Amino acid sequence: MTRIGFHASHEQIEPRALLEAVALAEEIGFTDAMGSDHFAPWSEEQGESAFSFAWMGAALERTSMRIGQVHAPGQRIHPAISAQAIATLEAMNPGRYWVALGSGENLNERITGDPWPPKPVRNARLRECVDVIRAMLAGEEVTHDGLVKVDRARLWTRPETPPPLIATAVTPETAAWAAEWADGLITVNQSDEKLRRVSDAYRDAGGRGDVLVQIHVSWARTEQEALDSAFHEWRTNVFAPPLCWDLDSPRAFAQAAAHVRPDDVRDSVVVTDSADHVVESVGRMLDTGYDGAYIHHVPVEQRPFLEQVAPSILAAFTERAEPAGARA
């Protein structure tokens, strides 16, 4: 069954306006949403980065939607604290919350002052965090001494049923690795070939649950206006791993983007003045092996897109969508 959700970008929109946007998305007909989890934006032009767990509580209270978030435990946030936040959100909103766990980006994690580990170490740390979080959600008292350290951590407030812990992945290698522990997978839009390789890698390795894709869209009255907005907001987000994982500040991303041309963002963003084109693009990406998509409108202003384009997306795909409250 196809799931179509709205993506709330904390790096671009201040939290009160973002809360209004997700409420409007529900009015338009979305039953699902998700949010990012950053300490810093990708660029100074984006200029926002609210604390996602605080916002998530407000968004779940404001709406009746099922809402999830990307989160990177292990360096910036200790996994026991992650487990407590996850448990509280699910206990207050049974069946309406999920979290997608990833190994993080240096942009956000370096604030602790600890060294930024290589990718294999980050994956190993994430795997330890997943085990800690799952054990705590199951009611266990956890002591752990590894890449993360935990001393007799126990959750006193727990949900009746733990929420899904899904994986984030942008490469087939990470997708296959995550299949052994994740309850699902989410990636970001890439070429059709790369998207298919990611979904196939996860499923071929025995991955369970839904496979989802976040799709970046820039829509406006003219294609040039849409391209201008995409370039202004997203030119720092066109870099493939490992560069996007390892740059350490908005200034570093700006320096890396100095030679990015406006048309270069088309590889990462659906740029268009046509609702039909958006629908076609979403359908094409779903056909590469995905059970649902979360739509991120890259320009800061969300209302025109939600009112004029989102209804076409929902009409095209949500006849098969799961109802609000279904599990990830």
Side-chain angles (χ1 to χ4, degrees):
M1 298 176 71
T2 304
R3 180 194 311 177
I4 301 296
F6 171 75
H7 175 74
S9 179
H10 290 282
E11 311 94 284
Q12 298 177 270
I13 304 173
E14 67 91 18
R16 289 168 299 181
L18 200 59
L19 192 60
E20 294 302 320
V22 78
L24 177 59
E26 183 175 42
E27 290 179 24
I28 297 298
F30 283 96
T31 59
D32 289 83
M34 67 171 286
S36 51
D37 177 32
H38 272 241
F39 192 84
W42 303 102
S43 70
E44 293 182 358
E45 287 86 352
Q46 290 177 344
E48 295 288 343
S49 213
F51 184 48
S52 63
F53 279 111
W55 184 88
M56 186 62 61
L60 286 162
E61 182 68 21
R62 176 71 177 273
T63 73
S64 60
M65 303 169 82
R66 174 175 55 178
I67 312 180
Q69 68 184 114
V70 176
H71 175 54
Q75 184 161 329
R76 176 169 46 107
I77 299 181
H78 190 278
I81 302 301
S82 300
Q84 185 184 35
I86 291 166
T88 300
L89 287 170
E90 176 66 16
M92 295 181 69
N93 307 277
R96 293 179 51 218
Y97 175 71
W98 54 268
V99 62
L101 302 177
S103 59
E105 296 103 4
N106 196 22
L107 170 70
N108 303 305
E109 311 309 321
R110 64 168 175 76
I111 63 166
T112 63
D114 294 327
W116 179 236
K119 180 62 172 173
V121 176
R122 299 199 304 272
N123 279 357
R125 181 174 65 187
L126 174 58
R127 188 67 177 84
E128 291 183 16
C129 290
V130 170
D131 290 344
V132 167
I133 292 169
R134 284 201 189 279
M136 292 181 65
L137 289 171
E140 299 177 23
E141 181 181 274
V142 176
T143 295
H144 180 82
D145 187 5
L147 293 168
V148 294
K149 299 183 185 299
V150 184
D151 179 23
R152 294 167 294 168
R154 172 188 170 188
L155 291 175
W156 296 88
T157 297
R158 293 189 299 116
E160 183 175 335
T161 302
L165 307 182
I166 77 172
T168 64
V170 295
T171 67
E173 293 77 17
T174 299
W177 167 80
E180 68 178 30
W181 62 263
D183 297 320
L185 183 83
I186 189 164
T187 189
V188 296
N189 63 284
Q190 308 174 66
S191 70
D192 292 354
E193 178 188 355
K194 290 179 180 178
L195 282 176
R196 189 174 297 281
R197 288 175 58 205
V198 169
S199 63
D200 286 351
Y202 181 72
R203 290 196 171 99
D204 289 348
R208 62 185 181 272
D210 286 349
V211 182
L212 308 165
V213 57
Q214 180 193 122
I215 300 177
H216 308 300
V217 175
S218 181
W219 170 89
R221 292 171 299 174
T222 69
E223 184 164 337
Q224 186 60 53
E225 184 181 347
L227 183 60
D228 291 345
S229 293
F231 181 69
H232 181 268
E233 290 291 326
W234 219 245
R235 68 184 183 278
T236 51
N237 297 64
V238 301
F239 307 114
L243 185 63
C244 59
W245 295 333
D246 293 340
L247 293 174
D248 67 357
S249 67
R251 182 169 297 179
F253 274 92
Q255 291 173 340
H259 300 292
V260 173
R261 301 163 300 178
D263 279 338
D264 293 337
V265 301
R266 293 181 186 273
D267 291 335
S268 303
V269 181
V270 177
V271 177
T272 185
D273 59 359
S274 166
D276 289 343
H277 184 203
V278 176
V279 170
E280 178 186 350
S281 298
V282 172
R284 191 187 69 249
M285 293 184 206
L286 288 171
D287 286 344
T288 61
Y290 290 83
D291 302 300
Y294 285 79
I295 312 301
H296 169 213
H297 189 231
V298 169
V300 171
E301 181 54 52
Q302 300 295 299
R303 181 175 288 273
F305 175 80
L306 286 170
E307 292 181 340
Q308 299 179 51
V309 180
S312 296
I313 303 171
L314 294 170
F317 301 108
T318 56
E319 63 182 8
R320 296 172 292 164
E322 297 172 75
R327 306 302 292 173

